[in-house]
Amino acid sequence: MSAGRAFITTPIYYVNDRPHIGHTYTTTLCDVWARATRLMGRETFFLTGTDEHGQKVEKSAREAGVSPQKLADTNAAEFRRVMDMMEFSHDDFIRTTEPRHMTQVQALVGKLAELGVVYLGEFEGWYDEGQEEYHTETRARELDYKSPVSGRPLVRFKEQNYYFRLSAFQQRLEEFYSRHPDFVQPEGRFNEVKGRLREGLQDVPVTRTNFSWGIPFPGDPKHVIYVWIDALINYVSALGLAKSVNGAQLGPGAHLPEVQDAPAPAAAELAAQVQALHQSRGVLWPADLHVVGKEILWFHAVIWPAMLMALELEPPRQIHAHSFWIRDGQKMSKSMGNFLDLAAIEAFIARYGLDAWRWYMATQGPLQATDADFRAAHFHEVYTAELVNLVGNCASRVGAMIAKYCDGRMPADTGDASQWVTRCAEATAQWRRAIEALDLTAAARAGLDLLRAVDAFIHQTEPFKLAKDPANSPQVHSILAQCAQCVRVAGLLLAPFLPTKMDELARGFGEATPSAVTGRGCCEDNFAARIEYGRIAVGTPIAKLALFPRLDAPKAA
Ligand code: ME8
């Protein structure tokens, strides 16, 4: 991971659908990373948003009997509401129907045309309507002429379109990949991309003409810009980056449709908006991490870097393509009606709490190459074993013993804590490496293992037995002081996963300003000192906490 400011993104989500577990999953991963990175002291910008153009949205709107803009407004508001409900710490929420985005898309696509990498041509091939994705004859044959996502038949297509000369970037992409062996994670997914690249690249359409819900192509407004080209640009339009591209003309917005029931802002106003974005956020590019699902990796790992290369912008530093949540062993899909929808998610949160939901998502999810099965019984097992029995119990027993044997105040340690100083430093180093690699399960394990070590230490030294003889008091105090110091450190390592509960823990264990560090817009200014063992001063009040209530197992469905 590089130093300096950090930038992480989620995909922008289609507004033809309501938010579901997949959307909240990817956003949770990014949120944990953003909070951890802020905690480590890097100013972090976390971007999410909605993808609002294209045939799919137009079709859903028609079916619902509303305008596409109305559908987009309603569902984008729902995505925002859910993100607020989930207390995500994103710094911006971009909508592709916002004029600030649309003007920059036109400027950048216009620039590609001027450079000759976008040209007018005829396309014949196969189209996956659900994914809004084109396939060549070879690829369509491989796919048995069916969508790899929905299983529905691909549709034959012939259109005059503007194309992006992707084929011209084959060699540059290959060179870029060999210079950046970690560009795509997990590694197996990167190998798939490289394998497909070796089969050869074909030019891809950047416009469509058979529907109108999109950003007009600059200079030829009967064409609208293909939704994927429009969507990928969000990662740089949110930063006002069109300003950095030499010769990109931020148009007058003359072709912009009227958006969100309001007239398009005047050209000067838009230019000023983009300029302001550029000034404050332009330095954030390249992004550190685009987190996406595996089904949209090709767009992010191939088409997007090639577009950026054409514009002489740097590709992102890394793309992490996770796998899918499945449910009770079966693929979740709208047609099967087994998607874990919002109502179901809200029911879990109402029962177990938001932090427990985040915990399950971030530590048990399909972050690597295999899909993960969501089962209510497993959720309950993980909650009980890790949050109730380990995190909650360890904090509560240490607090309770300090209440009982030390009048509720941090006791003095007259013993030798050197093993714990080392143990905490090692846990922190492991955690840091895991966060940097987006290995959230391993990062969580670093905190959990420290608490396991504290539990084992209590088990082995039995301070509750020693306390029966007042002569052992200095020893009991030392043991409990060492435990409390470690619990505080573990709590900080777990804070990006469990922000509310670990905030409570931090306050209970003597931290004055715990919450300021991991939330939106701020970062810790001295992580090295903050995470050190031994920061709780003697005499500090220590609370007896009840962090995670024990709950009955769910009834079998
Ligand atoms: O693809 N398990 O938007 P989208 C885990 N607008 N994650 C899942 C999932 C599942 N079962 N289902 C969906 C789009 N996701 C485009 C993106 S980006 C420039 C444009 C997550 O609403 C996963 O992150 O279909 C996936 O990539 C994303 O939702 C797709 O969201």
Side-chain angles (χ1 to χ4, degrees):
M1 197 194 288
S2 66
R5 291 166 79 180
F7 179 28
I8 185 165
T9 69
T10 71
I12 49 171
Y13 305 114
Y14 283 130
V15 288
N16 65 315
D17 202 1
R18 299 189 65 213
H20 57 63
I21 184 174
H23 306 131
T24 63
Y25 173 62
T26 313
T27 318
T28 303
L29 299 176
C30 293
D31 188 70
V32 172
W33 191 91
R35 286 172 186 268
T37 305
R38 291 185 191 116
L39 179 58
M40 284 189 270
R42 283 179 79 192
E43 200 182 318
T44 301
F45 189 77
F46 166 18
L47 178 68
T48 188
T50 39
D51 187 356
E52 307 192 359
H53 291 121
Q55 198 169 14
K56 204 151 84 164
V57 175
E58 191 182 84
K59 193 164 164 236
S60 301
R62 199 180 318 115
E63 284 163 12
V66 295
S67 70
Q69 186 67 60
K70 179 86 188 109
L71 180 78
D73 288 348
T74 308
N75 283 350
E78 180 66 355
F79 271 98
R80 271 187 205 270
R81 182 190 73 77
V82 171
M83 290 191 182
D84 289 344
M85 188 263 291
M86 307 282 279
E87 296 175 19
F88 290 136
S89 64
H90 50 289
D91 298 275
D92 196 359
F93 183 103
I94 191 162
R95 300 183 54 189
T96 57
T97 55
E98 286 176 83
R100 61 165 169 157
H101 170 76
M102 299 207 282
T103 33
Q104 293 187 72
V105 170
Q106 287 189 325
L108 295 179
V109 173
K111 180 68 190 172
L112 291 171
E114 192 192 306
L115 290 167
V117 287
V118 160
Y119 65 93
L120 190 62
E122 179 120 312
F123 176 78
E124 197 167 353
W126 297 91
Y127 194 62
D128 178 342
E129 288 181 312
Q131 288 301 99
E132 304 241 13
E133 184 171 6
Y134 295 95
H135 294 292
T136 58
E137 181 61 44
T138 326
R139 176 89 182 129
R141 199 177 316 126
E142 269 170 31
L143 296 171
D144 199 19
Y145 303 96
K146 285 192 197 113
S147 163
V149 177
S150 68
R152 284 202 294 271
L154 301 176
V155 180
R156 187 79 186 152
F157 239 89
K158 189 170 178 177
E159 255 186 13
Q160 200 185 46
N161 279 321
Y162 286 89
Y163 286 83
F164 173 51
R165 229 177 266 286
L166 184 61
S167 55
F169 289 86
Q170 170 115 15
Q171 198 185 341
R172 283 183 68 181
L173 282 169
E174 280 168 355
E175 284 164 8
F176 175 75
Y177 291 169
S178 62
R179 272 183 284 119
H180 299 89
D182 297 328
F183 180 57
V184 174
Q185 290 294 318
E187 200 186 342
R189 297 257 174 264
F190 199 10
N191 291 336
E192 286 166 18
V193 168
K194 289 186 217 164
R196 251 180 94 182
L197 187 71
R198 276 193 293 274
E199 290 168 14
L201 288 175
Q202 311 245 341
D203 295 350
V204 289
V206 295
T207 62
R208 304 285 311 273
T209 51
N210 62 340
F211 67 94
S212 61
W213 180 238
I215 303 177
F217 185 77
D220 194 353
K222 67 176 184 300
H223 289 257
V224 294
I225 295 169
Y226 172 43
V227 64
W228 266 102
I229 301 294
D230 168 353
L232 287 164
I233 291 176
N234 94 86
Y235 301 131
V236 298
S237 70
L239 310 181
L241 227 66
K243 271 276 172 197
S244 306
V245 174
N246 195 12
Q249 294 290 322
L250 278 176
H255 297 305
L256 295 181
E258 305 237 316
V259 288
Q260 296 162 44
D261 302 325
E269 201 182 309
L270 269 171
Q273 253 182 40
V274 173
Q275 174 68 34
L277 287 175
H278 186 257
Q279 254 166 15
S280 60
R281 302 176 177 177
V283 290
L284 290 165
W285 194 258
D288 291 77
L289 196 52
H290 291 318
V291 184
V292 300
K294 61 184 175 182
E295 85 290 11
I296 59 174
L297 177 58
W298 183 253
F299 293 101
H300 285 83
V302 177
I303 300 179
W304 180 225
M307 280 168 65
L308 289 163
M309 285 171 181
L311 292 165
E312 292 183 22
L313 293 171
E314 275 184 70
R317 294 205 170 94
Q318 192 170 76
I319 295 160
H320 192 108
H322 61 69
S323 306
F324 284 150
W325 277 108
I326 55 175
R327 190 170 183 192
D328 300 320
Q330 288 185 311
K331 189 175 168 193
M332 286 191 213
S333 75
K334 262 202 276 180
S335 53
M336 308 229 334
N338 66 345
F339 242 111
L340 213 74
D341 60 10
L342 265 185
I345 296 171
E346 282 171 329
F348 274 94
I349 294 175
R351 180 167 158 80
Y352 293 94
L354 182 57
D355 279 5
W357 174 263
R358 290 171 63 89
W359 181 259
Y360 190 72
M361 289 289 101
T363 65
Q364 303 293 323
L367 190 47
Q368 303 304 327
T370 41
D371 291 345
D373 196 6
F374 188 100
R375 285 182 299 113
H378 184 236
F379 187 110
H380 184 83
E381 278 160 35
V382 170
Y383 171 78
T384 305
E386 295 183 343
L387 299 183
V388 180
N389 293 348
L390 184 52
V391 181
N393 185 51
C394 186
S396 98
R397 74 198 288 214
V398 170
M401 285 191 283
I402 290 178
K404 195 160 170 193
Y405 308 125
C406 319
D407 294 329
R409 297 201 168 256
M410 182 68 175
D413 178 9
T414 50
D416 175 9
S418 55
Q419 65 144 332
W420 292 117
V421 174
T422 312
R423 187 73 187 67
C424 287
E426 281 169 4
T428 305
Q430 268 168 24
W431 175 89
R432 187 193 276 271
R433 277 195 301 275
I435 293 288
E436 287 172 358
L438 196 70
D439 186 349
L440 299 188
T441 312
R445 199 185 312 121
L448 291 185
D449 284 349
L450 184 55
L451 295 176
R452 286 192 181 103
V454 169
D455 269 347
F457 181 57
I458 296 173
H459 184 71
Q460 174 206 332
T461 55
E462 302 186 310
F464 38 88
K465 283 194 186 155
L466 291 173
K468 289 184 179 139
D469 179 354
N472 290 330
S473 178
Q475 200 190 343
V476 170
H477 286 194
S478 290
I479 292 170
L480 295 178
Q482 291 172 9
C483 292
Q485 300 288 9
C486 292
V487 168
R488 186 200 68 92
V489 171
L492 264 182
L493 300 182
L494 298 177
F497 298 86
L498 307 165
T500 308
K501 295 293 181 176
M502 292 304 100
D503 200 71
E504 207 182 308
L505 175 79
R507 270 185 278 115
F509 279 63
E511 294 241 6
T513 52
S515 57
V517 293
T518 47
R520 179 181 296 160
C522 48
C523 65
E524 168 60 44
D525 55 11
N526 197 348
F527 177 63
R530 175 129 193 227
I531 197 70
E532 247 179 24
Y533 175 92
R535 301 266 297 180
I536 314 176
V538 175
T540 306
I542 302 291
K544 244 165 59 176
L545 300 168
L547 295 171
F548 297 100
R550 189 172 298 282
L551 299 168
D552 294 335
K555 290 184 199 76

